[in-house]
């Protein structure tokens, strides 16, 4: 018998009944509670990953004023997006998440393209998270042993981190849930420690007018408005990945409520923690130009070094690196569930291979391996271009952010198809939804634009090409195979239950 037979408690039975109503036979094991579901999205957002890895980008594109006030603005708008997505998640708590919602509310084509966008965003986010962790690890090695953080060195560290995360995820969702729970407290404690130490130890601090009002433009763009807009990437990139709660809903108890709350709470607490972190870091800058040109390769490491000395810098870097490792591990879990679900519905090449579940751990093991392999490929351009990391982060934003808005838009457009779940926004659902959609359209266009000038091979923003490429691939694969192979429950012909059961019980 498959491990789902262990799910005996009433809550789990209700969850499995809901999943069957949506057309899927339960196959993943429900071992994650409400806190664990919140923890995975909070861990993927990870202010100690996104804020820290793109802090240097923020110093160039607008400086302190844009980073701080951009964080406030973007966080507010993402709360609208998160709330709108949470409402739809409550109605459709499946591992497929965004694409399944779009499919049910808009039809097969909507689901198909949403799935490919979501997949691009999740894999781009994973590449960005783990490459950022590799950069910070390289900075620590530079301070400890004088190892130069060359692109080759950072890439090697990046690949080792991906292997570590694959191994941890292959043990099963229980370990992932435990690590995510630890991650929440590590992030809160880490932000508190970093900000407190930076407030108390340095003899000098920047003024409040500098932290909240200093504008810096080192991009060569003449328009300050343009610079402010591209500077929003620091915050918008950090606020990605909260769909992880939806992707883990088939492994969560009371999923209709827990997954929705997990999304909203993760965004809210990250908004607060990130603001405190950015303010604390910026007050502690000793040498602005020196921070930008840090030999460590990561400006926050230089802030630590200038403010605290070598030992203090290494200790705080270690706090950040561990948080980033937690973040990447959570993202592998979320992305691999997307691969599993998309394969379960026949959307990927060799779907029958990627949708298989390990009989002992209840983990989509092959989906985990595919996830880390593709993330490794996405980061390879960083060996040749300094702008590649910024492009990877932009890929994450323009891939996953539109995918967040599509189910919200379809819920608004096709009200007759939408049936509210246990967690909903009531009469506020429509205005919140439209605000979210408009914001997503804005940032999607924004992050396809060039980030530096002159535009050449080194500074070119590759994100639009990645977006065009994945949409082109999706269109081609639809014509070649997807039209016939991609079948969500609502479109399957006779013999639905037997087909679902046979497909879901395929194991290694």
């Amino acid at each position: 018998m498959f491990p789902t037979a262990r799910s005996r408690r009433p809550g789990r039975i209700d969850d499995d009944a809901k999943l069957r109503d949506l057309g899927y036979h339960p196959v993943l094991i429900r071992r994650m509670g409400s806190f664990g579901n919140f923890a995975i999205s909070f861990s993927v957002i990870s202010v100690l990953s996104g804020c820290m890895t793109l802090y240097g980008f923020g110093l160039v594109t607008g400086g302190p004023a844009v980073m701080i006030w951009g964080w406030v603005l973007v966080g507010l708008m993402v709360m609208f997006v998160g709330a709108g997505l949470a409402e739809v998640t409550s109605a459709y708590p499946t591992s497929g998440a965004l694409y399944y919602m779009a499919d049910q509310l808009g039809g097969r084509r909507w689901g198909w393209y949403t799935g490919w966008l979501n997949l691009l965003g999740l894999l781009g986010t994973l590449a960005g998270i783990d490459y950022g962790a590799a950069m910070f690890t390289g900075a620590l090695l530079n301070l400890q042993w004088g190892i130069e953080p060359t692109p080759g060195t950072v890439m090697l560290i990046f690949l080792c981190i991906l292997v570590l995360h694959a191994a941890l995820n292959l043990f099963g969702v229980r370990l992932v849930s435990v690590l995510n729970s630890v991650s929440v407290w590590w992030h809160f404690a880490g932000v508190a420690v970093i900000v407190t130490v930076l407030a108390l130890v340095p003899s000098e601090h920047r003024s409040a007018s500098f932290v909240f009002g200093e504008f810096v433009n080192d991009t060569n763009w003449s328009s300050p408005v343009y610079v402010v807009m591209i500077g929003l990437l620091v915050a918008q990139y950090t606020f990605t990945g909260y769909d992880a709660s939806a992707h883990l809903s088939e492994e969560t108890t009371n999923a209709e409520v827990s997954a929705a709350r997990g999304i909203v709470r993760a965004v809210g607490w990250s908004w607060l923690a990130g603001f405190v972190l950015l303010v604390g870091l910026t007050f502690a800058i000793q040498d602005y130009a020196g921070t930008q040109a840090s030999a460590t390769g990561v400006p926050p490491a230089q802030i630590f070094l200038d403010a605290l000395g070598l030992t203090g810098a290494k200790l705080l870097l270690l706090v950040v690196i561990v948080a980033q490792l937690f973040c990447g591990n959570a993202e592998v879990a979320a992305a691999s569930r997307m691969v599993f679900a998309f394969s379960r519905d026949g959307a990927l090449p060799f779907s029958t291979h990627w949708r298989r579940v390990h009989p002992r751990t209840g983990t989509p093991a092959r989906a985990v391996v595919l996830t880390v392999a593709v993330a490794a490929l996405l980061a390879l351009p960083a060996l040749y271009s300094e702008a590649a990391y910024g492009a990877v982060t932009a890929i994450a934003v323009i891939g996953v952010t539109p995918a967040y808005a599509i189910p919200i838009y379809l819920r608004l457009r096709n009200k007759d198809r939408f049936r509210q779940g246990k967690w909903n926004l009531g009469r506020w659902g429509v205005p919140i939804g439209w605000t979210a959609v408009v914001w997503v359209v804005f940032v999607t266009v924004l992050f396809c634009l060039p980030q530096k000038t002159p535009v050449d091979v080194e500074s070119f923003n590759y994100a639009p090409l990645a977006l065009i490429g994945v949409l082109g691939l999706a269109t081609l694969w639809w014509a070649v195979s997807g039209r016939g192979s991609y079948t969500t429950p609502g479109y399957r012909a006779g013999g639905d239950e037997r087909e679902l059961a046979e497909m879901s019980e395929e194991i290694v």
Side-chain angles (χ1 to χ4, degrees), residues 46-321:
S46 182
V47 295
L48 286 174
S49 178
C51 291
M52 301 296 269
T53 52
L54 280 183
Y55 191 81
F57 180 85
L59 292 176
V60 174
T61 54
V66 174
M67 277 196 288
I68 301 302
W69 296 114
W71 183 267
V72 174
L73 171 64
V74 172
L76 174 63
M77 302 311 294
V78 172
M79 282 296 297
F80 285 110
V81 180
L85 181 62
E87 182 177 49
V88 187
T89 295
S90 179
Y92 304 102
T94 71
S95 294
L98 311 182
Y99 87 84
Y100 179 81
M101 302 171 196
D103 182 284
Q104 297 301 298
L105 291 170
R108 295 178 73 205
R109 284 289 189 97
W110 281 103
W112 176 264
Y113 283 103
T114 301
W116 280 95
L117 285 172
N118 191 198
L119 190 58
L120 170 69
L122 287 168
L123 295 172
T125 299
L126 174 59
I129 291 167
D130 278 5
Y131 194 83
M135 291 168 62
F136 273 75
T137 303
L140 180 61
L141 296 178
N142 177 261
L143 294 179
Q144 181 66 35
W145 291 294
I147 298 174
E148 184 181 356
T150 64
T153 302
V154 173
M155 183 60 66
L156 180 60
I157 297 170
F158 167 69
L159 295 176
C160 291
I161 291 173
L162 282 177
V163 171
L164 171 65
H165 286 154
L168 291 173
N169 273 268
L170 291 175
F171 279 103
V173 73
R174 178 173 290 173
L175 176 60
V176 172
S177 183
V178 170
L179 290 174
N180 288 331
S181 297
V182 174
S183 171
V184 171
W185 302 115
W186 185 275
H187 275 79
F188 280 130
V191 170
V193 167
I194 290 171
V195 172
T196 301
V197 170
L198 291 179
L200 297 178
V201 175
S203 57
E204 295 183 3
H205 292 88
R206 295 283 179 162
S207 65
S209 61
F210 173 86
V211 173
F212 296 102
E214 184 72 13
F215 177 79
V216 177
N217 177 13
D218 289 335
T219 64
N220 293 324
W221 292 108
S222 59
S223 170
V225 174
Y226 187 87
V227 173
V228 168
M229 290 194 298
I230 60 175
L232 298 178
L233 177 60
V234 175
Q236 189 64 55
Y237 166 67
T238 304
F239 282 114
T240 54
Y242 45 90
D243 56 317
S245 289
H247 289 295
L248 272 291
S249 59
E250 289 186 33
E251 294 158 89
T252 301
T253 55
N254 193 24
E256 286 186 72
V257 175
S258 296
R261 286 178 177 171
I263 292 171
V264 175
R265 289 172 176 173
V267 173
W269 282 108
S270 297
W271 189 17
L272 174 62
F275 179 80
V276 173
L277 177 63
L278 288 173
V279 170
L281 274 175
T282 309
F283 266 116
I285 294 176
Q286 305 296 303
D287 178 359
Y288 199 94
T291 298
Q292 287 179 295
S294 176
T296 64
V298 286
Q302 193 65 44
I303 295 176
F304 298 158
L305 191 61
D306 293 342
L308 309 174
L310 184 60
T311 300
K314 289 190 288 188
L315 289 174
L316 290 191
L317 272 176
L318 190 59
V319 170
V320 173
I321 291 167

Side-chain angles (χ1 to χ4, degrees), residues 17 48 134 370 432 450 488:
L48 286 174
L370 178 63
I432 287 175
T488 51

